[in-house]
Amino acid sequence: MGRAKIKKKSTFIDMTAMSDVTVLLLTFFMLTSTFVKKEPVQVFTPASVSEIKIPETNILQILVDPQGKIFMSLDKQPDMKAVLGKMGEEYGVEFTPEQEKKFATASAFGVPMRSMQKYLDLPSEQQDKLLKNEGIPCDSTDNQFKSWVRNARQVNPDLRIAIKADASTPYAVIKNVMSSLQDLRENRYNLITSLKTTSDK
């Protein structure tokens, strides 16, 4: 007696619900994610056990690379433009509206004021290359860093200062930055670190 052949039925899986969930998740992550600003140099921060997060608005970030070069950034474009105007008045440098617009949209800045006009006239790719080799002067003869911080505070009194330095940055450089802040009576600031894991010693 022959075996009865069972007709194979085509399987159909309705993926409508799955695609709906995928779209909802994608939309959620897009709306809740925050964009990380491009930094001029790569910095590996020291590890710590602190889990306190700095605010996302009204932040003046000071970036210090391993060679001791100093860069800064503000999170609001109007603040960037206003601070550049004040620095121009202090150092006798006039900027065109196009230069002001470029500066306001920059993710970070860090060139001496004497080079700022030429720097802002460069294309974005060349600006990135030049910025790595520059840095805001912070020495006893020409401390433009203090001027930037002072003018930024005048533009936005609610600014919170955050220092992000590489773990291998010489202590003397960090001390110089902190001394400059103390000269301006800026005694409250945050140090940005990475979270220490159990494997770290």
Side-chain angles (χ1 to χ4, degrees), residues 157-180:
D158 297 325
L159 279 178
R160 297 280 297 272
I161 297 173
I163 301 173
K164 183 178 182 180
D166 194 273
S168 60
T169 303
Y171 173 72
V173 175
I174 303 300
K175 185 180 178 182
N176 191 25
V177 169
M178 292 180 176
S179 297
S180 297

Side-chain angles (χ1 to χ4, degrees), residues 68-171:
K69 296 186 184 75
I70 299 172
F71 308 91
M72 297 172 71
S73 65
L74 291 161
D75 63 322
K76 294 180 180 177
Q77 291 186 10
D79 289 355
M80 290 276 283
K81 187 176 179 181
V83 172
L84 181 67
K86 281 187 167 293
M87 287 294 291
E89 290 173 10
E90 185 174 333
Y91 285 87
V93 182
E94 291 186 9
F95 298 99
T96 63
E98 185 62 32
Q99 290 171 336
E100 289 176 349
K101 185 179 177 183
K102 266 190 164 183
F103 184 83
T105 55
S107 58
F109 57 92
V111 297
M113 283 301 294
R114 57 178 163 73
S115 309
M116 187 63 78
Q117 287 176 315
K118 290 181 181 178
Y119 167 76
L120 293 173
D121 289 333
L122 293 173
S124 299
E125 300 81 19
Q126 293 184 28
Q127 282 183 350
D128 294 341
K129 289 180 183 177
L130 179 67
L131 193 59
K132 292 177 183 178
N133 302 317
E134 292 289 339
I136 299 171
C138 185
D139 50 52
S140 56
T141 57
D142 184 20
N143 198 332
Q144 294 181 22
F145 169 72
K146 282 169 70 171
S147 299
W148 281 108
V149 175
R150 184 179 64 253
N151 287 313
R153 176 64 76 190
Q154 287 175 4
V155 167
N156 186 350
D158 297 325
L159 279 178
R160 297 280 297 272
I161 297 173
I163 301 173
K164 183 178 182 180
D166 194 273
S168 60
T169 303
Y171 173 72

Side-chain angles (χ1 to χ4, degrees), residues 1-2 18 23 26 28 30 34 37 49 60 62 79 119 197:
M1 185 175 174
M18 180 67 76
V23 171
L26 183 62
F28 171 76
M30 285 174 63
T34 55
K37 277 189 172 184
V49 294
L60 169 61
I62 300 162
D79 289 355
Y119 167 76
T197 60

